[in-house]
């Protein structure tokens, strides 16, 4: 499901549920994108830093499983997830760079 400006922004709990569904379906790209959105949204909530770090790790893990040999492999089909813009080119290097402050060295 693609978010649009007119659609209400999903809660973090709703994003977590969708993430879990994508994991259950074996959809690494969608799971990586949802985990990325959860990490960024959680970072900005009171007491959400631990959750943000956990989902940053999960996003990186899922992104690392994705093919990345061609531009088509890394091109994102979604503009945003849960109100969080998804990078146009989405792969483990971008996730690592964008979530660096949440990931261990």
């Amino acid at each position: 499901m693609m978010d649009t400006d007119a659609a209400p922004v999903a809660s973090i709990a709703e994003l977590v549920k969708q993430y879990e569904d994508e994991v259950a379906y074996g959809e690494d790209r969608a799971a990586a994108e949802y985990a990325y959105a959860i990490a960024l949204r959680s970072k900005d909530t009171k007491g959400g830093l631990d959750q943000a770090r956990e989902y940053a790790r999960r996003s990186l893990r899922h992104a690392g499983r994705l093919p990345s040999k061609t531009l088509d492999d890394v091109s994102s089909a979604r503009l945003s997830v849960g109100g969080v813009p998804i990078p146009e080119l989405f792969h483990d290097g971008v996730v690592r760079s964008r979530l660096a402050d949440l990931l261990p060295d």
Side-chain angles (χ1 to χ4, degrees):
M1 183 167 110
M2 190 179 295
D3 293 339
T4 65
D5 291 336
V9 175
S11 71
I12 292 174
E14 291 169 323
L15 293 176
V16 168
K17 169 69 171 102
Q18 188 64 41
Y19 164 80
E20 290 169 352
D21 288 348
E22 299 298 350
V23 169
Y25 300 140
E27 296 291 339
D28 278 323
R29 174 166 299 283
E33 292 172 346
Y34 275 98
Y36 177 87
I38 294 164
L40 288 176
R41 292 269 307 275
S42 296
K43 181 173 119 172
D44 296 331
T45 63
K46 184 176 180 176
L49 197 53
D50 287 341
Q51 182 177 30
R53 287 182 178 134
E54 175 61 26
Y55 280 91
R57 285 190 295 271
R58 291 180 187 201
S59 181
L60 183 58
R61 184 177 69 236
H62 290 292
R65 294 181 188 145
L66 299 174
S68 60
K69 292 188 186 327
T70 69
L71 197 55
D72 282 344
D73 287 342
V74 299
S75 294
S76 198
R78 301 171 204 246
L79 298 177
S80 70
V81 170
V84 174
I86 298 298
E88 186 177 340
L89 301 178
F90 191 87
H91 53 81
D92 58 341
V94 169
V95 171
R96 186 176 288 108
S97 172
R98 299 274 179 101
L99 301 179
D101 59 331
L102 297 171
L103 294 165
D105 291 335

